[in-house]
């Protein structure tokens, strides 16, 4: 799919959920003109109109409705991938050893219950 951009899909989802370009832009932390360009690029890529622009906001066209479920599935998959990569059980494991002079280690690093156990 040449020219396809995931950011365009995220813009599509934001506008379809918010219903208004300015609200979606604010939620995404971008300028409304950026979102407008992204939707125009997505519509050009697919060759269909995804939204009817009205004074009350952006309404999905029938083609936009069909794209919405697939876009939400893509978002779900992306979130699942990110969650798996950020899973704490996949984090670092093992022991950490610190070398210090005895006095510093005994009085500053070791908890009080460890000092009594080593004495």
């Amino acid at each position: 799919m040449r020219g396809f951009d995931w950011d365009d899909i995220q813009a599509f989802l934001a506008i379809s959920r918010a219903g208004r370009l300015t609200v979606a832009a604010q939620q995404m932390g971008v300028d409304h003109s950026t979102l407008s360009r992204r939707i125009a690029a997505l519509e050009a890529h697919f060759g269909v109109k995804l939204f009817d622009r009205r004074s009350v906001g952006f309404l999905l066209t029938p083609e936009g409705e069909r794209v919405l479920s697939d876009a939400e599935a893509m978002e779900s998959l992306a979130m699942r991938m990110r969650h798996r990569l950020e899973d704490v059980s996949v984090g670092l494991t093992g022991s950490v050893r610190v070398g210090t002079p005895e006095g510093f280690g005994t009085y500053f690093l070791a908890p009080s219950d460890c000092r009594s156990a080593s004495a």
Side-chain angles (χ1 to χ4, degrees), residues 37-73:
R37 283 191 304 273
R38 291 202 174 279
I39 293 304
L42 195 59
E43 289 176 331
H45 177 78
F46 288 134
V48 296
K49 188 175 176 186
L50 299 172
F51 291 101
D52 281 328
R53 284 107 168 130
R54 299 193 179 162
S55 59
V56 295
F58 279 50
L59 301 174
L60 285 169
T61 63
E63 294 82 6
E65 289 284 349
R66 287 194 295 271
V67 169
L68 181 61
S69 62
D70 290 332
E72 288 175 334

Side-chain angles (χ1 to χ4, degrees), residues 6-118:
W6 167 240
D7 291 336
D8 296 346
I9 294 293
Q10 289 179 303
F12 169 78
L13 287 169
I15 294 171
S16 65
R17 290 172 180 153
R20 299 188 68 79
L21 183 67
T22 53
V23 173
Q26 186 178 25
Q27 290 172 347
M28 291 186 73
V30 298
D31 191 72
H32 70 279
S33 62
T34 300
L35 282 190
S36 183
R37 283 191 304 273
R38 291 202 174 279
I39 293 304
L42 195 59
E43 289 176 331
H45 177 78
F46 288 134
V48 296
K49 188 175 176 186
L50 299 172
F51 291 101
D52 281 328
R53 284 107 168 130
R54 299 193 179 162
S55 59
V56 295
F58 279 50
L59 301 174
L60 285 169
T61 63
E63 294 82 6
E65 289 284 349
R66 287 194 295 271
V67 169
L68 181 61
S69 62
D70 290 332
E72 288 175 334
M74 290 173 66
E75 179 186 46
S76 177
L77 180 59
M79 289 170 61
R80 194 174 333 132
M81 289 182 342
R82 183 177 60 205
H83 177 71
R84 284 183 181 154
L85 293 173
E86 293 174 348
D87 190 0
V88 293
S89 66
V90 183
L92 299 175
T93 60
S95 300
V96 175
R97 296 174 191 242
V98 178
T100 67
E102 185 178 341
F104 183 80
T106 301
Y107 292 104
F108 293 105
L109 293 181
S112 60
D113 59 346
C114 289
R115 277 187 240 145
S116 62
S118 64

